[in-house]
Amino acid sequence: MSFVSLGGDGSTRPTFFELVAAERLMPSLKAATVYSLSVLAQRRPIFHRLLDFENELFAVVTAALDRQSLLNSNSSFAESLYGLRRSSVRGGATPKASLHQSSQRWSLVFLVALPYLQSKMETIYNRHRQRVRAPLGLRFMQDPSAVGEVSQQSQSESLWRRIQRQALSLFMRLFPWIHATQEGLRFGYQLLYLLDSTPFYTPVLHLLGQNIVRVSGQEMIEVQRQQQQRRQLQLEAAQRSPSVILRLLSQGWLKSTYAFADHTRNALILSVFAFKLLEWWYTSAEEKLGAQQALPPPPPPPPPKPSPDGLQLPDDATLCPICKRKRTNPGMASVSGYVYCYPCIFGSIDQHGCCPVTRLPATVDQIRRLYQSA
């Protein structure tokens, strides 16, 4: 199964977008795996323990998938789905040369260990970053007595704990620079690859001496033919077993293993799309259900009643309660909502410190200018 049509002579240069899509496939698979485990954990709390080791679990899954794909097609799991494979360009090898076993092992190490270490370092950094720095990079203020207690504890702590604390502090300082350097190198290689200035898509491929090429239809047929031959030889060796029961068990085990290997990859990719579809479906349903059950906003509180000791409101609502003239440059006392002339209300509140009508305490900062459109 491939997401793209095969073609070319096997050395055709893949497009930048094909390589980006193959690179983003495994993070999407990890997100779908974590999401499926979180859904199962809601019904079976035992799966919460797996979520605590999600990086380790996905590293094991990635190692199994990439190892099988490297042995069969000289490519990672994601690259094989897009009709791509790896070829060695070190030591004058032609682009069509297959990977040696040592090259496959080193490829597997970088495909599994590098993303795992990166995820673990990001997790550790994000976990301890909030403890070290406050928002905007400002350190939390500490009580002097607390500082004294910390100093006493630091004197009594063991040597190993001090080494761990210093190593963590050093890591928190160096990780942003390491991450920036890594992303800068990746961006530089991808830009050069896009400009057709280098055959290597990432610095890791350059270090391994490998580039990525398309798989031709003839190569795919040859890989399938060799796979069928290996399976036929294994089945013939199982048939030569002297025991009938052992012969049946060996053949059944081999056939089930072949079926599992043939359909696991397709089932895994379909499960990714299925979980993404379910996530979108239930998210949309929850939003619609929440919108239907949303309560109407409460009515505004009633306006404050005029105080018997305050000014009387004029019968004409356009008049100022203070000067009894038509309001000009209106201003409102926010504590009560009544509107006056701005100079009148400013002078009254500045002198008496309350709303003239309701006698509620107010300051000049609580006066709001009102602007009317022409």
Side-chain angles (χ1 to χ4, degrees), residues 4-12 83 213-219:
V4 295
S5 59
L6 302 177
D9 57 357
S11 60
T12 309
V213 297
R214 284 199 183 99
V215 179
S216 65
Q218 183 178 0
E219 289 177 343

Side-chain angles (χ1 to χ4, degrees), residues 185-206:
L185 286 175
R186 288 176 59 84
F187 175 76
Y189 269 84
Q190 291 177 1
L191 182 62
L192 292 176
Y193 185 89
L194 186 62
L195 298 176
D196 202 8
S197 299
T198 180
F200 305 105
Y201 177 69
T202 61
V204 174
L205 291 174
H206 195 176

Side-chain angles (χ1 to χ4, degrees), residues 144-162:
S145 61
V147 174
E149 294 177 358
V150 172
S151 61
Q152 294 178 0
Q153 293 178 359
S154 61
Q155 294 177 359
S156 61
E157 66 180 355
S158 63
L159 177 62
W160 175 244
R161 290 292 299 173
R162 288 199 298 268

Side-chain angles (χ1 to χ4, degrees), residues 307-321:
S307 174
D309 300 333
L311 297 178
Q312 298 296 323
L313 293 174
D315 296 334
D316 189 357
T318 62
L319 300 180
C320 174

Side-chain angles (χ1 to χ4, degrees), residues 61-309:
V61 174
T62 304
L65 294 175
D66 287 340
R67 179 180 179 277
Q68 186 68 22
S69 184
L70 285 170
L71 292 176
N72 293 333
S73 57
N74 292 318
S75 62
S76 67
F77 173 73
E79 293 162 359
S80 64
L81 292 176
Y82 285 89
L84 306 175
R85 68 172 178 86
R86 299 189 173 203
S87 63
S88 178
V89 294
R90 182 173 294 175
T94 61
K96 294 184 180 180
S98 300
L99 297 180
H100 299 288
Q101 291 184 357
S102 59
S103 299
Q104 291 180 354
R105 286 194 295 267
W106 280 111
S107 298
L108 183 62
V109 169
F110 279 97
L111 286 171
V112 177
L114 193 61
Y116 170 73
L117 293 177
Q118 184 176 0
S119 299
K120 292 295 291 185
M121 288 191 297
E122 290 179 355
T123 302
I124 296 173
Y125 180 78
N126 293 329
R127 181 189 306 162
H128 294 278
R129 180 178 56 180
Q130 302 300 331
R131 304 179 184 177
V132 176
R133 291 189 178 271
L136 301 180
L138 301 177
R139 293 186 179 275
F140 287 109
M141 300 297 295
Q142 293 183 348
D143 188 16
S145 61
V147 174
E149 294 177 358
V150 172
S151 61
Q152 294 178 0
Q153 293 178 359
S154 61
Q155 294 177 359
S156 61
E157 66 180 355
S158 63
L159 177 62
W160 175 244
R161 290 292 299 173
R162 288 199 298 268
I163 293 176
Q164 287 182 333
R165 182 166 49 83
Q166 293 175 0
L168 178 61
S169 177
L170 180 62
F171 169 77
M172 297 297 292
R173 294 180 181 180
L174 294 180
F175 178 76
W177 296 98
I178 296 174
H179 183 71
T181 303
Q182 178 187 3
E183 294 299 324
L185 286 175
R186 288 176 59 84
F187 175 76
Y189 269 84
Q190 291 177 1
L191 182 62
L192 292 176
Y193 185 89
L194 186 62
L195 298 176
D196 202 8
S197 299
T198 180
F200 305 105
Y201 177 69
T202 61
V204 174
L205 291 174
H206 195 176
L207 180 64
L208 294 174
Q210 301 171 3
N211 63 356
I212 300 178
V213 297
R214 284 199 183 99
V215 179
S216 65
Q218 183 178 0
E219 289 177 343
M220 181 61 69
I221 294 174
E222 181 64 21
V223 168
Q224 293 179 354
R225 186 183 65 81
Q226 294 178 359
Q227 185 180 25
Q228 293 296 332
Q229 289 180 352
R230 289 196 301 268
R231 292 181 177 181
Q232 187 64 31
L233 292 176
Q234 291 175 354
L235 289 174
E236 292 178 355
Q239 289 178 356
R240 291 193 293 268
S241 178
S243 175
V244 178
I245 298 178
L246 184 60
R247 185 189 313 158
L248 294 176
L249 290 176
S250 300
Q251 291 179 353
W253 171 256
L254 289 174
K255 291 181 180 180
S256 61
T257 303
Y258 299 154
F260 181 80
D262 292 338
H263 301 290
T264 297
R265 185 173 66 178
N266 301 344
L268 191 59
I269 295 301
L270 291 177
S271 65
V272 173
F273 289 105
F275 280 118
K276 286 297 182 181
L277 178 62
L278 289 175
E279 182 181 9
W280 168 81
W281 179 269
Y282 284 111
T283 301
S284 301
E286 290 176 359
E287 291 178 353
K288 293 179 180 179
L289 185 60
Q292 294 175 358
Q293 295 180 354
L295 298 177
K305 295 181 180 181
S307 174
D309 300 333

